[in-house]
Amino acid sequence: MHHRGAGGRGARRVRPPHVVKDDGLAAGKGVVVTDDREAALEHARACLTRGGDATVVVEDYLDGPEASLFCLCDGTTVVPLALAQDFKRVGEGDEGPNTGGMGAYSPLDWAPEGLAEDVVARVAQPTVDEMAARGTPFVGVLYVGLALTSRGPKVVEFNVRFGDPETQVVLVRLETPLGALLLAAATGELAGSPELRWSPQHAVTVVVASSGYPGTPRTGDPLFGLEQISADGSGASVLHAGTALDEQGALVSAGGRVLSVVALGDDLASARRTVYEAVDRVDLPGSHHRRDIALAAERGQVQAGDQQ
Ligand code: GLY
């Protein structure tokens, strides 16, 4: 349901939980999911006061865990990468406001067998076929955001880019050279690509965010401890996102999601142990991160079709 300039009409017709989304680029922060009808209406009003052609989308609430699937597309052929799960709420137990993503893991041992192929057959390939039929072939990464609901997989969103931080845990396991795959996608030759090779290991990434994120992040804080992570031999690595060098050449925070730490392990428990030992070495005043990334999956508590 799209509502343009007509605050709240949709929220009156649907049952809670209400899902009200700013239909613009909002870094994952434009959606409010709430049982409180007034809060839903308030968010809709706030979106509509943006002016211009502001649009509000009122969506169905989808139960079940979310998953992300990145598909490489060359205009005709679709090659899925490995499934990953992202944690969008800022707080542990999926509490608090939405963010761009506070952590992720891959693979998803709990996902139904053949899910990626099923999503390609039912969602990604028909989309790419239709784009080609319309004379606007899609070449790039089709990011399919899924809810694995009690009524089967549902598409929550499409993006035409890699997702952050899911990409960290997908690409660290991809043994096939990415450059060759991207070249094949760009030149219409994905159909001739060899089958992808994946590390059997499990990957977990945890985002370290600055004070205030996802509201107004504080920047310019000194950042220490990263050298110890690369030196400790655990194999954990740090990917910078919102960092910069100050005038003295010292590393400081420069954004909301400052960095992500990535680790591999033979199972989720060991990947989580390694990643959190490394996260504990990050010294950034006021920073915060979630301690429960991939915890429910490690405990075998995630099931497609059930709420997390
Ligand atoms: N992690 C969510 C996104 O990249 O949009």
Side-chain angles (χ1 to χ4, degrees):
M1 249 181 288
H2 281 70
H3 289 277
R4 197 177 291 256
R9 274 177 42 226
R12 225 167 278 147
R13 271 189 262 131
V14 296
R15 279 202 296 262
H18 304 292
V19 183
V20 180
K21 189 166 182 175
D22 186 349
D23 192 27
L25 205 55
K29 291 177 280 181
V31 66
V32 162
V33 181
T34 178
D35 285 337
D36 180 344
R37 183 172 167 274
E38 270 315 307
L41 290 170
E42 184 51 41
H43 184 61
R45 279 186 212 106
C47 297
L48 291 170
T49 53
R50 267 197 310 112
D53 63 350
T55 303
V56 170
V57 185
V58 180
E59 298 180 337
D60 283 336
Y61 178 77
L62 301 175
D63 62 0
E66 287 190 27
S68 303
L69 183 67
F70 306 140
C71 297
L72 301 180
C73 306
D74 69 359
T76 308
T77 299
V78 176
V79 174
L81 301 183
L83 285 151
Q85 191 179 42
D86 181 21
F87 292 75
K88 294 209 173 68
R89 299 296 189 112
V90 72
E92 282 159 30
D94 293 326
E95 297 287 335
N98 258 323
T99 70
M102 295 297 292
Y105 66 96
S106 182
L108 309 183
D109 282 350
W110 49 266
E113 181 89 19
L115 176 65
E117 292 69 24
D118 188 35
V119 171
V120 169
R122 291 168 53 192
V123 177
Q125 189 68 60
T127 303
V128 166
D129 291 349
E130 180 62 24
M131 296 288 285
R134 292 182 185 200
T136 53
F138 176 68
V139 177
V141 178
L142 181 62
Y143 165 152
V144 186
L146 296 160
L148 304 178
T149 78
S150 41
R151 290 167 287 140
K154 304 278 179 194
V155 176
V156 178
E157 61 177 347
F158 276 165
N159 291 299
V160 287
R161 57 170 173 80
F162 281 106
D164 176 18
E166 302 97 305
T167 301
Q168 286 86 313
V169 287
V170 171
L171 293 189
V172 76
R173 296 185 51 246
L174 179 64
E175 291 177 343
T176 307
L178 179 67
L181 286 171
L182 297 182
L183 180 64
T187 53
E189 289 166 0
L190 271 181
S193 294
E195 198 170 323
L196 302 189
R197 284 181 286 106
W198 294 97
S199 159
Q201 288 199 296
H202 294 248
V204 177
T205 188
V206 176
V207 169
V208 176
S210 53
S211 173
Y213 180 79
T216 308
R218 192 173 80 197
T219 57
D221 283 310
L223 187 51
F224 297 110
L226 307 192
E227 301 78 13
Q228 285 165 278
I229 295 174
S230 36
D232 71 4
S234 70
S237 54
V238 175
L239 294 168
H240 291 237
T243 63
L245 297 176
D246 69 10
E247 282 165 9
Q248 285 75 45
L251 195 60
V252 294
S253 59
R257 289 187 294 168
V258 176
L259 55 85
S260 57
V261 180
V262 187
L264 285 162
D266 290 339
D267 53 26
L268 271 182
S270 88
R272 290 189 73 249
R273 224 174 6 256
T274 304
V275 86
Y276 279 113
E277 279 169 12
V279 166
D280 287 342
R281 295 180 190 275
V282 177
D283 179 0
L284 174 66
S287 69
H288 58 96
H289 61 270
R290 283 182 61 160
R291 300 295 300 184
D292 63 347
I293 302 301
L295 179 60
E298 178 194 324
R299 291 178 173 165
Q301 293 168 340
V302 186
Q303 284 181 343
D306 281 1
Q307 283 207 254
Q308 285 179 84

